[in-house]
Amino acid sequence: MRRITDLDPAYVAALNAGAIPSATLTEGLAIDFAALLQAAVPARPSAACAQMHAAAGEGITRRMAKAAQLIADHQGLAALPALMDHTSDTVRGWACYLIGGADSLALPARLEMIRPLADDPHFGVREWAWMAVRPHIAADPAAAISYLTGWTDDPSARIRRFASEATRPRGVWCAHITSLRQDPGSALSLLQPLRADPAAYVQDSVANWLNDASKDRPDWVRALCADWLAESPAPETARICKRALRTVNKR
């Protein structure tokens, strides 16, 4: 992986101008959020860029939320269409956090608003999508699972993967969902339709969901995988279960 210092300065300038999307995580981390905010959001408070510059030393997720907050303070959700249609994947990520940070949205409305970004062609935007709404999912996991179960038969593998990834009991870079750690079976309505999903992108997420669960409820995961392999002896299911049991099998 290249380092930020290895990137062509002209290329970084294009990233900062919002003229091109990032192609790697390193490129995304190289972006100057203050410069990008100035280029991508002309209708912004005069002090916003200075505030964004002051936050340059914070972690990436904090800066994503900060940029969205600065935009929301001035434009609210009215800024969404322009952000969602922007060339820069980072700017589309700000749209995710604008949706995640809106106080007035009920969970179903929030999830529907994030749905196009969950289906974004850029890998980074898809990660920001679930991370931005994760606190709301964690606050009411039963309602989230009930709603997202309807996404498990979507034609897009990206949408199906979001349903699984956003509800993982532990996940990465996010708060755990205690109720799912204790009772992963409460998510079966969502997991069951994905047990033989044809897309490796979805299979990996379901396997990671179950691997999360295995750290608290190993016997439950073992039993579920045994049931799935008996009910659905497909290569896709076998792949999910093998990856799901990777922590259990090390014990």
mmCIF file with all atom_site columns, all heavy atoms in Angstrom, residues 15-43:
data_model
loop_
_atom_site.group_PDB
_atom_site.id
_atom_site.type_symbol
_atom_site.label_atom_id
_atom_site.label_alt_id
_atom_site.label_comp_id
_atom_site.label_asym_id
_atom_site.label_entity_id
_atom_site.label_seq_id
_atom_site.pdbx_PDB_ins_code
_atom_site.Cartn_x
_atom_site.Cartn_y
_atom_site.Cartn_z
_atom_site.occupancy
_atom_site.B_iso_or_equiv
_atom_site.pdbx_formal_charge
_atom_site.auth_seq_id
_atom_site.auth_comp_id
_atom_site.auth_asym_id
_atom_site.auth_atom_id
_atom_site.pdbx_PDB_model_num
ATOM 1   N N   . LEU A 1 15 ? -8.079  15.570 -5.659  1.00 0.00 ? 15 LEU A N   1
ATOM 2   C CA  . LEU A 1 15 ? -8.926  14.999 -4.610  1.00 0.00 ? 15 LEU A CA  1
ATOM 3   C C   . LEU A 1 15 ? -9.477  16.113 -3.723  1.00 0.00 ? 15 LEU A C   1
ATOM 4   O O   . LEU A 1 15 ? -10.665 16.121 -3.379  1.00 0.00 ? 15 LEU A O   1
ATOM 5   C CB  . LEU A 1 15 ? -8.120  14.015 -3.761  1.00 0.00 ? 15 LEU A CB  1
ATOM 6   C CG  . LEU A 1 15 ? -7.709  12.691 -4.394  1.00 0.00 ? 15 LEU A CG  1
ATOM 7   C CD1 . LEU A 1 15 ? -6.700  11.970 -3.506  1.00 0.00 ? 15 LEU A CD1 1
ATOM 8   C CD2 . LEU A 1 15 ? -8.924  11.799 -4.632  1.00 0.00 ? 15 LEU A CD2 1
ATOM 9   N N   . ASN A 1 16 ? -8.631  17.059 -3.365  1.00 0.00 ? 16 ASN A N   1
ATOM 10  C CA  . ASN A 1 16 ? -9.048  18.160 -2.499  1.00 0.00 ? 16 ASN A CA  1
ATOM 11  C C   . ASN A 1 16 ? -10.057 19.082 -3.178  1.00 0.00 ? 16 ASN A C   1
ATOM 12  O O   . ASN A 1 16 ? -10.857 19.731 -2.503  1.00 0.00 ? 16 ASN A O   1
ATOM 13  C CB  . ASN A 1 16 ? -7.829  18.978 -2.057  1.00 0.00 ? 16 ASN A CB  1
ATOM 14  C CG  . ASN A 1 16 ? -6.938  18.231 -1.089  1.00 0.00 ? 16 ASN A CG  1
ATOM 15  O OD1 . ASN A 1 16 ? -7.371  17.272 -0.449  1.00 0.00 ? 16 ASN A OD1 1
ATOM 16  N ND2 . ASN A 1 16 ? -5.686  18.658 -0.973  1.00 0.00 ? 16 ASN A ND2 1
ATOM 17  N N   . ALA A 1 17 ? -10.003 19.132 -4.506  1.00 0.00 ? 17 ALA A N   1
ATOM 18  C CA  . ALA A 1 17 ? -10.946 19.954 -5.259  1.00 0.00 ? 17 ALA A CA  1
ATOM 19  C C   . ALA A 1 17 ? -12.264 19.226 -5.507  1.00 0.00 ? 17 ALA A C   1
ATOM 20  O O   . ALA A 1 17 ? -13.206 19.816 -6.050  1.00 0.00 ? 17 ALA A O   1
ATOM 21  C CB  . ALA A 1 17 ? -10.326 20.372 -6.588  1.00 0.00 ? 17 ALA A CB  1
ATOM 22  N N   . GLY A 1 18 ? -12.322 17.953 -5.145  1.00 0.00 ? 18 GLY A N   1
ATOM 23  C CA  . GLY A 1 18 ? -13.531 17.173 -5.382  1.00 0.00 ? 18 GLY A CA  1
ATOM 24  C C   . GLY A 1 18 ? -13.719 16.810 -6.836  1.00 0.00 ? 18 GLY A C   1
ATOM 25  O O   . GLY A 1 18 ? -14.820 16.442 -7.258  1.00 0.00 ? 18 GLY A O   1
ATOM 26  N N   . ALA A 1 19 ? -12.639 16.860 -7.617  1.00 0.00 ? 19 ALA A N   1
ATOM 27  C CA  . ALA A 1 19 ? -12.741 16.609 -9.054  1.00 0.00 ? 19 ALA A CA  1
ATOM 28  C C   . ALA A 1 19 ? -12.709 15.131 -9.391  1.00 0.00 ? 19 ALA A C   1
ATOM 29  O O   . ALA A 1 19 ? -13.161 14.725 -10.474 1.00 0.00 ? 19 ALA A O   1
ATOM 30  C CB  . ALA A 1 19 ? -11.603 17.326 -9.773  1.00 0.00 ? 19 ALA A CB  1
ATOM 31  N N   . ILE A 1 20 ? -12.174 14.318 -8.488  1.00 0.00 ? 20 ILE A N   1
ATOM 32  C CA  . ILE A 1 20 ? -12.057 12.883 -8.725  1.00 0.00 ? 20 ILE A CA  1
ATOM 33  C C   . ILE A 1 20 ? -12.374 12.140 -7.432  1.00 0.00 ? 20 ILE A C   1
ATOM 34  O O   . ILE A 1 20 ? -12.200 12.681 -6.343  1.00 0.00 ? 20 ILE A O   1
ATOM 35  C CB  . ILE A 1 20 ? -10.639 12.485 -9.209  1.00 0.00 ? 20 ILE A CB  1
ATOM 36  C CG1 . ILE A 1 20 ? -9.581  12.947 -8.193  1.00 0.00 ? 20 ILE A CG1 1
ATOM 37  C CG2 . ILE A 1 20 ? -10.349 13.051 -10.593 1.00 0.00 ? 20 ILE A CG2 1
ATOM 38  C CD1 . ILE A 1 20 ? -8.175  12.459 -8.489  1.00 0.00 ? 20 ILE A CD1 1
ATOM 39  N N   . PRO A 1 21 ? -12.829 10.893 -7.542  1.00 0.00 ? 21 PRO A N   1
ATOM 40  C CA  . PRO A 1 21 ? -13.018 10.086 -6.334  1.00 0.00 ? 21 PRO A CA  1
ATOM 41  C C   . PRO A 1 21 ? -11.700 9.455  -5.907  1.00 0.00 ? 21 PRO A C   1
ATOM 42  O O   . PRO A 1 21 ? -10.773 9.318  -6.708  1.00 0.00 ? 21 PRO A O   1
ATOM 43  C CB  . PRO A 1 21 ? -14.007 9.007  -6.796  1.00 0.00 ? 21 PRO A CB  1
ATOM 44  C CG  . PRO A 1 21 ? -13.701 8.841  -8.254  1.00 0.00 ? 21 PRO A CG  1
ATOM 45  C CD  . PRO A 1 21 ? -13.280 10.200 -8.759  1.00 0.00 ? 21 PRO A CD  1
ATOM 46  N N   . SER A 1 22 ? -11.612 9.086  -4.652  1.00 0.00 ? 22 SER A N   1
ATOM 47  C CA  . SER A 1 22 ? -10.436 8.343  -4.194  1.00 0.00 ? 22 SER A CA  1
ATOM 48  C C   . SER A 1 22 ? -10.550 6.906  -4.661  1.00 0.00 ? 22 SER A C   1
ATOM 49  O O   . SER A 1 22 ? -11.642 6.371  -4.823  1.00 0.00 ? 22 SER A O   1
ATOM 50  C CB  . SER A 1 22 ? -10.328 8.402  -2.671  1.00 0.00 ? 22 SER A CB  1
ATOM 51  O OG  . SER A 1 22 ? -11.404 7.697  -2.069  1.00 0.00 ? 22 SER A OG  1
ATOM 52  N N   . ALA A 1 23 ? -9.393  6.282  -4.884  1.00 0.00 ? 23 ALA A N   1
ATOM 53  C CA  . ALA A 1 23 ? -9.375  4.889  -5.339  1.00 0.00 ? 23 ALA A CA  1
ATOM 54  C C   . ALA A 1 23 ? -8.958  3.929  -4.239  1.00 0.00 ? 23 ALA A C   1
ATOM 55  O O   . ALA A 1 23 ? -9.186  2.726  -4.348  1.00 0.00 ? 23 ALA A O   1
ATOM 56  C CB  . ALA A 1 23 ? -8.432  4.740  -6.536  1.00 0.00 ? 23 ALA A CB  1
ATOM 57  N N   . THR A 1 24 ? -8.360  4.457  -3.172  1.00 0.00 ? 24 THR A N   1
ATOM 58  C CA  . THR A 1 24 ? -7.886  3.621  -2.076  1.00 0.00 ? 24 THR A CA  1
ATOM 59  C C   . THR A 1 24 ? -8.134  4.344  -0.754  1.00 0.00 ? 24 THR A C   1
ATOM 60  O O   . THR A 1 24 ? -8.386  5.559  -0.725  1.00 0.00 ? 24 THR A O   1
ATOM 61  C CB  . THR A 1 24 ? -6.381  3.339  -2.192  1.00 0.00 ? 24 THR A CB  1
ATOM 62  O OG1 . THR A 1 24 ? -5.658  4.574  -2.041  1.00 0.00 ? 24 THR A OG1 1
ATOM 63  C CG2 . THR A 1 24 ? -6.033  2.707  -3.534  1.00 0.00 ? 24 THR A CG2 1
ATOM 64  N N   . LEU A 1 25 ? -8.003  3.607  0.328   1.00 0.00 ? 25 LEU A N   1
ATOM 65  C CA  . LEU A 1 25 ? -8.127  4.211  1.648   1.00 0.00 ? 25 LEU A CA  1
ATOM 66  C C   . LEU A 1 25 ? -7.040  5.260  1.865   1.00 0.00 ? 25 LEU A C   1
ATOM 67  O O   . LEU A 1 25 ? -7.294  6.326  2.443   1.00 0.00 ? 25 LEU A O   1
ATOM 68  C CB  . LEU A 1 25 ? -8.043  3.129  2.727   1.00 0.00 ? 25 LEU A CB  1
ATOM 69  C CG  . LEU A 1 25 ? -8.076  3.609  4.181   1.00 0.00 ? 25 LEU A CG  1
ATOM 70  C CD1 . LEU A 1 25 ? -9.362  4.362  4.489   1.00 0.00 ? 25 LEU A CD1 1
ATOM 71  C CD2 . LEU A 1 25 ? -7.911  2.426  5.137   1.00 0.00 ? 25 LEU A CD2 1
ATOM 72  N N   . THR A 1 26 ? -5.836  4.995  1.394   1.00 0.00 ? 26 THR A N   1
ATOM 73  C CA  . THR A 1 26 ? -4.746  5.954  1.549   1.00 0.00 ? 26 THR A CA  1
ATOM 74  C C   . THR A 1 26 ? -5.094  7.283  0.889   1.00 0.00 ? 26 THR A C   1
ATOM 75  O O   . THR A 1 26 ? -4.855  8.357  1.453   1.00 0.00 ? 26 THR A O   1
ATOM 76  C CB  . THR A 1 26 ? -3.447  5.387  0.940   1.00 0.00 ? 26 THR A CB  1
ATOM 77  O OG1 . THR A 1 26 ? -3.101  4.178  1.612   1.00 0.00 ? 26 THR A OG1 1
ATOM 78  C CG2 . THR A 1 26 ? -2.303  6.383  1.073   1.00 0.00 ? 26 THR A CG2 1
ATOM 79  N N   . GLU A 1 27 ? -5.674  7.221  -0.284  1.00 0.00 ? 27 GLU A N   1
ATOM 80  C CA  . GLU A 1 27 ? -6.061  8.450  -0.978  1.00 0.00 ? 27 GLU A CA  1
ATOM 81  C C   . GLU A 1 27 ? -7.140  9.191  -0.200  1.00 0.00 ? 27 GLU A C   1
ATOM 82  O O   . GLU A 1 27 ? -7.107  10.420 -0.084  1.00 0.00 ? 27 GLU A O   1
ATOM 83  C CB  . GLU A 1 27 ? -6.540  8.121  -2.388  1.00 0.00 ? 27 GLU A CB  1
ATOM 84  C CG  . GLU A 1 27 ? -5.431  7.629  -3.300  1.00 0.00 ? 27 GLU A CG  1
ATOM 85  C CD  . GLU A 1 27 ? -5.922  7.282  -4.705  1.00 0.00 ? 27 GLU A CD  1
ATOM 86  O OE1 . GLU A 1 27 ? -7.089  7.612  -5.018  1.00 0.00 ? 27 GLU A OE1 1
ATOM 87  O OE2 . GLU A 1 27 ? -5.147  6.690  -5.477  1.00 0.00 ? 27 GLU A OE2 1
ATOM 88  N N   . GLY A 1 28 ? -8.088  8.441  0.352   1.00 0.00 ? 28 GLY A N   1
ATOM 89  C CA  . GLY A 1 28 ? -9.136  9.080  1.134   1.00 0.00 ? 28 GLY A CA  1
ATOM 90  C C   . GLY A 1 28 ? -8.579  9.776  2.363   1.00 0.00 ? 28 GLY A C   1
ATOM 91  O O   . GLY A 1 28 ? -9.013  10.873 2.728   1.00 0.00 ? 28 GLY A O   1
ATOM 92  N N   . LEU A 1 29 ? -7.591  9.158  2.993   1.00 0.00 ? 29 LEU A N   1
ATOM 93  C CA  . LEU A 1 29 ? -6.989  9.741  4.190   1.00 0.00 ? 29 LEU A CA  1
ATOM 94  C C   . LEU A 1 29 ? -6.120  10.951 3.867   1.00 0.00 ? 29 LEU A C   1
ATOM 95  O O   . LEU A 1 29 ? -5.825  11.763 4.744   1.00 0.00 ? 29 LEU A O   1
ATOM 96  C CB  . LEU A 1 29 ? -6.151  8.683  4.913   1.00 0.00 ? 29 LEU A CB  1
ATOM 97  C CG  . LEU A 1 29 ? -6.936  7.527  5.540   1.00 0.00 ? 29 LEU A CG  1
ATOM 98  C CD1 . LEU A 1 29 ? -5.980  6.463  6.065   1.00 0.00 ? 29 LEU A CD1 1
ATOM 99  C CD2 . LEU A 1 29 ? -7.851  8.020  6.655   1.00 0.00 ? 29 LEU A CD2 1
ATOM 100 N N   . ALA A 1 30 ? -5.706  11.074 2.610   1.00 0.00 ? 30 ALA A N   1
ATOM 101 C CA  . ALA A 1 30 ? -4.856  12.190 2.203   1.00 0.00 ? 30 ALA A CA  1
ATOM 102 C C   . ALA A 1 30 ? -5.634  13.483 1.984   1.00 0.00 ? 30 ALA A C   1
ATOM 103 O O   . ALA A 1 30 ? -5.040  14.556 1.887   1.00 0.00 ? 30 ALA A O   1
ATOM 104 C CB  . ALA A 1 30 ? -4.109  11.826 0.918   1.00 0.00 ? 30 ALA A CB  1
ATOM 105 N N   . ILE A 1 31 ? -6.949  13.405 1.916   1.00 0.00 ? 31 ILE A N   1
ATOM 106 C CA  . ILE A 1 31 ? -7.763  14.566 1.560   1.00 0.00 ? 31 ILE A CA  1
ATOM 107 C C   . ILE A 1 31 ? -7.773  15.603 2.680   1.00 0.00 ? 31 ILE A C   1
ATOM 108 O O   . ILE A 1 31 ? -7.948  15.267 3.853   1.00 0.00 ? 31 ILE A O   1
ATOM 109 C CB  . ILE A 1 31 ? -9.199  14.125 1.214   1.00 0.00 ? 31 ILE A CB  1
ATOM 110 C CG1 . ILE A 1 31 ? -9.190  13.292 -0.079  1.00 0.00 ? 31 ILE A CG1 1
ATOM 111 C CG2 . ILE A 1 31 ? -10.136 15.320 1.061   1.00 0.00 ? 31 ILE A CG2 1
ATOM 112 C CD1 . ILE A 1 31 ? -10.518 12.633 -0.396  1.00 0.00 ? 31 ILE A CD1 1
ATOM 113 N N   . ASP A 1 32 ? -7.600  16.843 2.297   1.00 0.00 ? 32 ASP A N   1
ATOM 114 C CA  . ASP A 1 32 ? -7.720  17.989 3.202   1.00 0.00 ? 32 ASP A CA  1
ATOM 115 C C   . ASP A 1 32 ? -9.199  18.366 3.241   1.00 0.00 ? 32 ASP A C   1
ATOM 116 O O   . ASP A 1 32 ? -9.728  18.935 2.295   1.00 0.00 ? 32 ASP A O   1
ATOM 117 C CB  . ASP A 1 32 ? -6.873  19.136 2.667   1.00 0.00 ? 32 ASP A CB  1
ATOM 118 C CG  . ASP A 1 32 ? -6.922  20.383 3.548   1.00 0.00 ? 32 ASP A CG  1
ATOM 119 O OD1 . ASP A 1 32 ? -7.922  20.575 4.275   1.00 0.00 ? 32 ASP A OD1 1
ATOM 120 O OD2 . ASP A 1 32 ? -5.975  21.186 3.481   1.00 0.00 ? 32 ASP A OD2 1
ATOM 121 N N   . PHE A 1 33 ? -9.864  18.047 4.344   1.00 0.00 ? 33 PHE A N   1
ATOM 122 C CA  . PHE A 1 33 ? -11.307 18.263 4.423   1.00 0.00 ? 33 PHE A CA  1
ATOM 123 C C   . PHE A 1 33 ? -11.687 19.747 4.315   1.00 0.00 ? 33 PHE A C   1
ATOM 124 O O   . PHE A 1 33 ? -12.731 20.087 3.763   1.00 0.00 ? 33 PHE A O   1
ATOM 125 C CB  . PHE A 1 33 ? -11.860 17.680 5.726   1.00 0.00 ? 33 PHE A CB  1
ATOM 126 C CG  . PHE A 1 33 ? -12.162 16.220 5.680   1.00 0.00 ? 33 PHE A CG  1
ATOM 127 C CD1 . PHE A 1 33 ? -11.473 15.371 4.842   1.00 0.00 ? 33 PHE A CD1 1
ATOM 128 C CD2 . PHE A 1 33 ? -13.165 15.673 6.486   1.00 0.00 ? 33 PHE A CD2 1
ATOM 129 C CE1 . PHE A 1 33 ? -11.753 14.013 4.793   1.00 0.00 ? 33 PHE A CE1 1
ATOM 130 C CE2 . PHE A 1 33 ? -13.459 14.319 6.444   1.00 0.00 ? 33 PHE A CE2 1
ATOM 131 C CZ  . PHE A 1 33 ? -12.751 13.492 5.605   1.00 0.00 ? 33 PHE A CZ  1
ATOM 132 N N   . ALA A 1 34 ? -10.848 20.610 4.841   1.00 0.00 ? 34 ALA A N   1
ATOM 133 C CA  . ALA A 1 34 ? -11.148 22.039 4.759   1.00 0.00 ? 34 ALA A CA  1
ATOM 134 C C   . ALA A 1 34 ? -11.132 22.510 3.309   1.00 0.00 ? 34 ALA A C   1
ATOM 135 O O   . ALA A 1 34 ? -12.012 23.255 2.868   1.00 0.00 ? 34 ALA A O   1
ATOM 136 C CB  . ALA A 1 34 ? -10.149 22.841 5.586   1.00 0.00 ? 34 ALA A CB  1
ATOM 137 N N   . ALA A 1 35 ? -10.131 22.057 2.550   1.00 0.00 ? 35 ALA A N   1
ATOM 138 C CA  . ALA A 1 35 ? -10.050 22.425 1.139   1.00 0.00 ? 35 ALA A CA  1
ATOM 139 C C   . ALA A 1 35 ? -11.218 21.833 0.352   1.00 0.00 ? 35 ALA A C   1
ATOM 140 O O   . ALA A 1 35 ? -11.801 22.500 -0.512  1.00 0.00 ? 35 ALA A O   1
ATOM 141 C CB  . ALA A 1 35 ? -8.724  21.949 0.552   1.00 0.00 ? 35 ALA A CB  1
ATOM 142 N N   . LEU A 1 36 ? -11.561 20.587 0.661   1.00 0.00 ? 36 LEU A N   1
ATOM 143 C CA  . LEU A 1 36 ? -12.673 19.950 -0.043  1.00 0.00 ? 36 LEU A CA  1
ATOM 144 C C   . LEU A 1 36 ? -13.992 20.627 0.298   1.00 0.00 ? 36 LEU A C   1
ATOM 145 O O   . LEU A 1 36 ? -14.848 20.818 -0.576  1.00 0.00 ? 36 LEU A O   1
ATOM 146 C CB  . LEU A 1 36 ? -12.727 18.461 0.317   1.00 0.00 ? 36 LEU A CB  1
ATOM 147 C CG  . LEU A 1 36 ? -13.829 17.643 -0.357  1.00 0.00 ? 36 LEU A CG  1
ATOM 148 C CD1 . LEU A 1 36 ? -13.720 17.715 -1.882  1.00 0.00 ? 36 LEU A CD1 1
ATOM 149 C CD2 . LEU A 1 36 ? -13.784 16.188 0.109   1.00 0.00 ? 36 LEU A CD2 1
ATOM 150 N N   . LEU A 1 37 ? -14.176 21.002 1.544   1.00 0.00 ? 37 LEU A N   1
ATOM 151 C CA  . LEU A 1 37 ? -15.395 21.699 1.939   1.00 0.00 ? 37 LEU A CA  1
ATOM 152 C C   . LEU A 1 37 ? -15.517 23.023 1.184   1.00 0.00 ? 37 LEU A C   1
ATOM 153 O O   . LEU A 1 37 ? -16.593 23.379 0.702   1.00 0.00 ? 37 LEU A O   1
ATOM 154 C CB  . LEU A 1 37 ? -15.378 21.946 3.449   1.00 0.00 ? 37 LEU A CB  1
ATOM 155 C CG  . LEU A 1 37 ? -16.626 22.588 4.050   1.00 0.00 ? 37 LEU A CG  1
ATOM 156 C CD1 . LEU A 1 37 ? -17.836 21.664 3.927   1.00 0.00 ? 37 LEU A CD1 1
ATOM 157 C CD2 . LEU A 1 37 ? -16.390 22.934 5.523   1.00 0.00 ? 37 LEU A CD2 1
ATOM 158 N N   . GLN A 1 38 ? -14.414 23.736 1.070   1.00 0.00 ? 38 GLN A N   1
ATOM 159 C CA  . GLN A 1 38 ? -14.424 25.006 0.348   1.00 0.00 ? 38 GLN A CA  1
ATOM 160 C C   . GLN A 1 38 ? -14.791 24.802 -1.119  1.00 0.00 ? 38 GLN A C   1
ATOM 161 O O   . GLN A 1 38 ? -15.565 25.580 -1.700  1.00 0.00 ? 38 GLN A O   1
ATOM 162 C CB  . GLN A 1 38 ? -13.054 25.671 0.445   1.00 0.00 ? 38 GLN A CB  1
ATOM 163 C CG  . GLN A 1 38 ? -12.978 27.029 -0.245  1.00 0.00 ? 38 GLN A CG  1
ATOM 164 C CD  . GLN A 1 38 ? -11.642 27.714 -0.024  1.00 0.00 ? 38 GLN A CD  1
ATOM 165 O OE1 . GLN A 1 38 ? -10.730 27.146 0.588   1.00 0.00 ? 38 GLN A OE1 1
ATOM 166 N NE2 . GLN A 1 38 ? -11.508 28.930 -0.507  1.00 0.00 ? 38 GLN A NE2 1
ATOM 167 N N   . ALA A 1 39 ? -14.271 23.726 -1.731  1.00 0.00 ? 39 ALA A N   1
ATOM 168 C CA  . ALA A 1 39 ? -14.515 23.493 -3.153  1.00 0.00 ? 39 ALA A CA  1
ATOM 169 C C   . ALA A 1 39 ? -15.899 22.920 -3.427  1.00 0.00 ? 39 ALA A C   1
ATOM 170 O O   . ALA A 1 39 ? -16.535 23.258 -4.427  1.00 0.00 ? 39 ALA A O   1
ATOM 171 C CB  . ALA A 1 39 ? -13.444 22.541 -3.697  1.00 0.00 ? 39 ALA A CB  1
ATOM 172 N N   . ALA A 1 40 ? -16.363 22.055 -2.538  1.00 0.00 ? 40 ALA A N   1
ATOM 173 C CA  . ALA A 1 40 ? -17.573 21.284 -2.830  1.00 0.00 ? 40 ALA A CA  1
ATOM 174 C C   . ALA A 1 40 ? -18.854 21.902 -2.301  1.00 0.00 ? 40 ALA A C   1
ATOM 175 O O   . ALA A 1 40 ? -19.945 21.565 -2.785  1.00 0.00 ? 40 ALA A O   1
ATOM 176 C CB  . ALA A 1 40 ? -17.422 19.868 -2.258  1.00 0.00 ? 40 ALA A CB  1
ATOM 177 N N   . VAL A 1 41 ? -18.740 22.765 -1.310  1.00 0.00 ? 41 VAL A N   1
ATOM 178 C CA  . VAL A 1 41 ? -19.944 23.325 -0.677  1.00 0.00 ? 41 VAL A CA  1
ATOM 179 C C   . VAL A 1 41 ? -19.839 24.850 -0.676  1.00 0.00 ? 41 VAL A C   1
ATOM 180 O O   . VAL A 1 41 ? -19.454 25.463 0.329   1.00 0.00 ? 41 VAL A O   1
ATOM 181 C CB  . VAL A 1 41 ? -20.123 22.784 0.760   1.00 0.00 ? 41 VAL A CB  1
ATOM 182 C CG1 . VAL A 1 41 ? -21.476 23.204 1.324   1.00 0.00 ? 41 VAL A CG1 1
ATOM 183 C CG2 . VAL A 1 41 ? -19.994 21.264 0.788   1.00 0.00 ? 41 VAL A CG2 1
ATOM 184 N N   . PRO A 1 42 ? -20.144 25.470 -1.819  1.00 0.00 ? 42 PRO A N   1
ATOM 185 C CA  . PRO A 1 42 ? -20.027 26.942 -1.887  1.00 0.00 ? 42 PRO A CA  1
ATOM 186 C C   . PRO A 1 42 ? -20.913 27.646 -0.864  1.00 0.00 ? 42 PRO A C   1
ATOM 187 O O   . PRO A 1 42 ? -20.513 28.663 -0.295  1.00 0.00 ? 42 PRO A O   1
ATOM 188 C CB  . PRO A 1 42 ? -20.466 27.260 -3.320  1.00 0.00 ? 42 PRO A CB  1
ATOM 189 C CG  . PRO A 1 42 ? -20.300 25.977 -4.073  1.00 0.00 ? 42 PRO A CG  1
ATOM 190 C CD  . PRO A 1 42 ? -20.566 24.882 -3.090  1.00 0.00 ? 42 PRO A CD  1
ATOM 191 N N   . ALA A 1 43 ? -22.112 27.123 -0.629  1.00 0.00 ? 43 ALA A N   1
ATOM 192 C CA  . ALA A 1 43 ? -23.042 27.748 0.328   1.00 0.00 ? 43 ALA A CA  1
ATOM 193 C C   . ALA A 1 43 ? -22.758 27.210 1.718   1.00 0.00 ? 43 ALA A C   1
ATOM 194 O O   . ALA A 1 43 ? -23.405 26.284 2.203   1.00 0.00 ? 43 ALA A O   1
ATOM 195 C CB  . ALA A 1 43 ? -24.483 27.461 -0.073  1.00 0.00 ? 43 ALA A CB  1
#
